[in-house]
């Protein structure tokens, strides 16, 4: 239960207080990240779908969904995306790139990354808000699977402090495979081939980003986890909307 509370507090704004922050609890939280994402996706699907059923245009429903997603996650993940884009886009050495990522301001790479991902999310969600809400639930669950991927064994922390240090090199490969397989099986219930493919796309994007972060930054940071979530969610939405 401590791991579930930590997952909900990290990935949503639900009034759940995490009472433990040790690595064993964090491991459970990272494995339960897709569950927290699915709950978030359900709330968003009900809100946006309900708006469309009341007569709103699908584009408006999708825009509301994207805005609510930012609100219900405190904008933490999109902020991580912006910081990661600024750090990686700087082409500076690891130390300098990490310094750039810690700054409170957002540079041009970060602004472009936010705009691009939100635009893609809204465009993809436009075709989903009035259809099967299960697709949106799956997309946000697959997006949070990006956090599980980021915390896999073999990927060390880039800094000795922060969220990255708490959760880096934490999730065994077999556990990641089990969670991904279970989510892909559930995805098949939403759409026989798009569902599992959306999960595969989310894993692939998160894996590629974190592998690049290891080469450029020396390992994982909390910002990279946020970026993995945002890009994995976008990838899943694209597949499900195609």
């Amino acid at each position: 239960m401590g791991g579930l509370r930590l997952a909900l507090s990290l990935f949503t704004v639900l009034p759940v207080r995490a009472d433990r922050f040790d690595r064993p609890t964090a491991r459970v939280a990272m494995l339960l990240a897709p569950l927290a994402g699915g709950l978030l996706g359900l709330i968003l699907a009900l809100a946006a779908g309900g708006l469309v059923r009341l007569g709103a245009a699908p584009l408006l429903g999708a825009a509301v969904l994207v805005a609510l997603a930012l609100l219900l996650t405190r904008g933490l993940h999109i902020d991580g995306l912006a910081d990661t884009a600024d750090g990686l886009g700087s082409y500076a050495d690891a130390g300098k790139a990490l310094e750039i990522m810690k700054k409170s301001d957002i540079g041009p790479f970060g602004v472009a990354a936010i705009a691009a991902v939100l635009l893609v999310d809204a465009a993809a969600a436009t075709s989903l808000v009035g259809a099967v809400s299960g697709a949106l639930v799956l997309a946000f669950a697959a997006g949070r699977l990006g956090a599980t991927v980021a915390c896999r064994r073999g990927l060390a922390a880039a800094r000795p402090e922060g969220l990255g240090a708490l959760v880096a090199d934490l999730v065994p490969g077999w556990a990641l495979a089990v969670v991904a397989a279970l989510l892909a099986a559930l995805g098949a219930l939403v759409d026989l081939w798009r569902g599992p493919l959306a999960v595969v796309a989310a894993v692939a994007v998160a894996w590629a980003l974190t592998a690049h972060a290891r080469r450029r930054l020396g390992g994982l940071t909390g910002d990279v986890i946020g970026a993995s979530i945002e890009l994995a969610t976008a990838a899943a939405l694209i597949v499900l909307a195609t």
Side-chain angles (χ1 to χ4, degrees), residues 6 10-11 21 23 26 30 76-77 147 151 157 159-168 170 220-226 229:
L6 181 57
L10 285 174
F11 299 113
F21 292 92
R23 280 177 65 83
M30 292 304 107
L76 289 177
H77 308 141
C151 300
R159 300 189 186 101
E161 75 285 339
L163 178 63
L166 175 65
V167 300
L170 195 61
L220 185 69
T221 70
D223 287 330
V224 173
I225 295 173
I229 290 172

Side-chain angles (χ1 to χ4, degrees), residues 12-93:
T12 72
V13 294
L14 293 176
V16 179
R17 293 188 61 184
D19 53 0
R20 295 179 60 185
F21 292 92
D22 53 85
R23 280 177 65 83
T25 303
R27 181 182 295 109
V28 176
M30 292 304 107
L31 289 171
L32 293 178
L35 178 61
L39 178 59
L40 174 65
L42 177 60
I43 295 171
L44 297 173
L46 290 174
L51 191 62
V52 171
R53 290 182 181 87
L54 289 174
L59 179 58
L60 177 58
V64 169
L65 181 143
V66 170
L68 277 178
L70 293 175
L71 178 64
L72 295 179
T73 57
R74 299 184 295 271
L76 289 177
H77 308 141
I78 201 73
D79 179 67
L81 172 67
D83 289 341
T84 301
D86 282 335
L88 295 177
S90 69
Y91 289 98
D93 59 49

